[in-house]
Amino acid sequence: MSIDTTGGQDRAAMMAAAFLPLAARGGIPIPEGAVLQARMLYVGRERMRPPVQQLVPKLVDVLAGRNLVFRRGEDQIVYRDPATKKFKAMDAETLCTWLPSPQGGQVVLVAGYEKDVGPQGESRVIDGDLSVGQSRLVMKSIDFKASLPELRKVNTVRLPVIDADGTLRLLPPGYDARSKVWTEMELEYYTKMDVRDAVMWVDELTRTFSWRCKERDFAIWLAGLLTMYGRGMFLGRAPAFFIGANLPESGKSILTKLITWAVHGTRNHKNLEEDQEEELRKYLDGVSRAGMPYVNFENIDLGGRELRMPLLDTFIESSDWEIRVMGGQMIESHTNEAMVLGSANNVTWSRDIQRRSLLCDLYNPLAGAERVLPTGTKMIDADFWQDPQNRQNLLAACWSMVKHWSDQGKPMKPGKLLGSFENWARFAPAVVWHTGQI
């Protein structure tokens, strides 16, 4: 096969590239020759490299519809590493080696061709390479960045979204162009659990926690779980969720970790200390820049003093988070969808925190070591966390409650919407209230 950089063969490659995503969606078998041709990119030879204004549109055609490279935020380019199943930042050096790699772009880089080298007068492709200089120019190209599919977030399991027409659906595995979300599918879960079974399973899991007021405090915790599960179902911010207790070893940290583990498979946490605002800012900047789904401040203990942190107040309420670039006057702006959770002993909440948060209380008359749990209590211990069935059951219960609420017309919870979090208030409190009527 020859490569004619001025006409015919190049246009055929462009047609093949345009056909590939359509054929894939329609389940049409793709001839091997068409795949090869669509993935050829003319990069030239030393001192005969094509200018970037010619290279960019051809690279765009080669990558079109394949969902291999993404734009994240305003400026970041990322790719998915198939070995680790993680998204990584793409730089110029990586792009040079990633494009032709069988584990990467699978693109044939062409330096040129030799004519009449076969017995029938065939032409032979001469292998080429993308220079670091070319790669840098490509990655600076506004047209190249604009051509990439946007990656808004990465989920580890199928989570729900509501489309513009009001339709509820679970996101598919891989990339979903409508929501701009990639779903990795760490595990699957049952999607046909009866809503009564869902309520019973969650109640049995949490009934031995010493809720100060079961009707109120359990409902707040459940709203936190559904908020993290249904984060793709509403725009804007959600309030923070803090769980307080009168004594250590009350299970408050377990309750926050149940929320994060069920949805994201992680139990990460962070200490929150007084007079550490600069350290807190660095942490929140990193959370925002990385698009992390939550922050969990564990075992906050101020000895009864008031928790007053204006920076945290701002983070809870801000849909966009601005980061000043070190050593300059440039400011980055990142979408902030991180949910804020925390557990605390001996804390008085400031009025600003109270206005932006839902506060759940545990009250134990006895210290943890002195408590005797009822026979048959489901222990949330190391064995519990290691059993994927427990996570699957929590996810199945969440989907059952959300779907039942949607199937019944998405009824609203009576009363006033929580200020600054109105979109959230139309979802999580409504699902909790509706489920409680069953």
Side-chain angles (χ1 to χ4, degrees):
M1 177 184 293
S2 65
I3 300 298
D4 177 4
T5 61
T6 63
Q9 192 65 41
D10 196 50
R11 287 194 291 271
M14 292 175 65
M15 292 176 63
F19 174 72
L20 287 183
L22 298 175
R25 283 198 294 270
I28 302 171
I30 304 170
E32 184 177 349
V35 175
L36 178 64
Q37 192 166 336
R39 294 181 183 173
M40 282 187 167
L41 178 67
Y42 175 73
V43 293
R45 312 183 195 189
E46 287 296 331
R47 301 183 182 181
M48 297 180 63
R49 302 284 191 182
V52 69
Q53 61 266 32
Q54 292 181 13
L55 183 60
V56 166
K58 294 175 183 179
L59 180 55
V60 169
D61 289 336
V62 165
L63 296 176
R66 298 175 65 193
N67 294 330
L68 295 175
V69 185
F70 298 86
R71 172 176 49 85
R72 194 166 198 172
E74 295 179 351
D75 227 24
Q76 190 180 27
I77 298 175
V78 298
Y79 70 101
R80 181 178 176 273
D81 183 343
T84 63
K85 298 183 180 179
K86 301 292 183 183
F87 282 86
K88 299 180 178 180
M90 178 76 80
D91 56 27
E93 290 77 7
T94 302
L95 181 61
C96 294
T97 55
W98 176 88
L99 270 177
S101 169
Q103 302 300 315
Q106 302 177 16
V107 176
V108 179
L109 301 180
V110 178
Y113 61 94
E114 285 184 303
K115 295 181 179 179
D116 304 326
V117 295
Q120 304 298 323
E122 300 94 339
S123 297
R124 181 175 69 83
V125 168
I126 301 173
D127 292 337
D129 61 0
L130 187 70
S131 72
V132 174
Q134 285 178 303
S135 184
R136 287 201 182 102
L137 291 173
V138 165
M139 294 189 64
K140 290 291 185 181
S141 166
I142 295 174
D143 292 338
F144 179 66
K145 291 176 184 176
S147 76
L148 299 176
E150 181 185 356
L151 181 65
R152 206 166 56 81
K153 66 171 64 173
V154 178
N155 295 334
T156 59
V157 294
R158 297 181 69 192
L159 295 178
V161 293
I162 293 181
D163 289 330
D165 63 0
T167 302
L168 173 71
R169 63 188 176 98
L170 281 174
L171 290 171
Y175 183 67
D176 179 71
R178 279 181 283 175
S179 64
K180 301 178 176 60
V181 174
W182 180 283
T183 300
E184 196 56 61
M185 290 294 287
E186 267 186 9
L187 81 169
E188 298 185 42
Y189 58 93
Y190 187 51
T191 59
K192 303 294 184 182
M193 180 183 282
D194 183 83
V195 69
R196 293 168 182 81
D197 293 334
V199 172
M200 184 179 299
W201 195 90
V202 175
D203 179 68
E204 288 179 353
L205 180 66
T206 59
R207 66 173 51 172
T208 56
F209 286 89
S210 298
W211 310 103
R212 185 181 290 272
C213 173
K214 174 68 182 285
E215 183 175 339
R216 172 189 178 276
D217 295 312
F218 170 73
I220 290 175
W221 176 83
L222 182 58
L225 175 64
L226 290 168
T227 297
M228 187 156 286
Y229 178 76
R231 188 61 188 88
M233 297 178 62
F234 61 92
L235 298 174
R237 296 292 289 150
F241 288 81
F242 290 105
I243 302 177
N246 64 314
L247 292 172
E249 300 181 22
S250 297
K252 58 192 180 300
S253 296
I254 289 176
L255 286 168
T256 59
K257 289 175 181 177
L258 274 174
I259 292 173
T260 65
W261 175 76
V263 180
H264 298 290
T266 55
R267 292 175 281 152
N268 301 328
H269 61 270
K270 171 76 173 174
N271 292 330
L272 184 65
E273 300 177 1
E274 288 184 288
D275 304 321
Q276 296 289 328
E277 182 163 312
E278 187 57 34
E279 187 67 27
L280 177 61
R281 174 170 284 283
K282 290 179 182 177
Y283 175 68
L284 296 178
D285 286 352
V287 167
S288 178
R289 186 178 281 119
M292 291 169 58
Y294 69 87
V295 295
N296 183 13
F297 299 108
E298 187 175 77
N299 288 324
I300 306 167
D301 193 338
L302 303 182
R305 295 187 303 279
E306 184 177 78
L307 177 64
R308 184 184 296 274
M309 289 191 170
L311 184 64
L312 183 58
D313 299 338
T314 302
F315 187 82
I316 292 171
E317 204 168 17
S318 298
S319 295
D320 295 294
W321 188 251
E322 292 187 342
I323 303 172
R324 185 176 296 278
V325 179
M326 294 291 290
Q329 299 301 311
M330 297 292 294
I331 293 179
E332 300 174 356
S333 180
H334 296 268
T335 301
N336 177 26
E337 292 191 0
M339 185 174 165
V340 178
L341 304 100
S343 57
N345 292 309
N346 303 314
V347 169
T348 300
W349 306 102
S350 72
R351 293 187 65 180
D352 288 322
I353 286 285
Q354 291 183 48
R355 188 178 71 77
R356 296 169 171 85
S357 308
L358 294 183
L359 306 176
C360 173
D361 290 321
L362 301 178
Y363 180 80
N364 283 304
L366 298 173
E370 299 173 357
R371 294 183 64 201
V372 178
L373 298 175
T375 302
T377 297
K378 190 172 184 63
M379 300 300 295
I380 304 177
D381 53 16
D383 291 336
F384 176 91
W385 300 118
Q386 292 172 9
D387 186 351
Q389 185 64 54
N390 292 316
R391 187 181 173 203
Q392 289 169 319
N393 285 340
L394 270 171
L395 290 165
C398 288
W399 171 244
S400 177
M401 288 183 273
V402 169
K403 188 174 187 305
H404 190 271
W405 167 75
S406 179
D407 290 346
Q408 298 302 310
K410 305 183 183 73
M412 289 284 293
K413 177 181 178 293
K416 184 180 178 181
L417 299 176
L418 181 62
S420 301
F421 307 103
E422 290 84 359
N423 287 331
W424 165 85
R426 295 183 180 95
F427 164 60
V431 177
V432 173
W433 173 79
H434 174 73
T435 303
Q437 309 305 305
I438 297 172

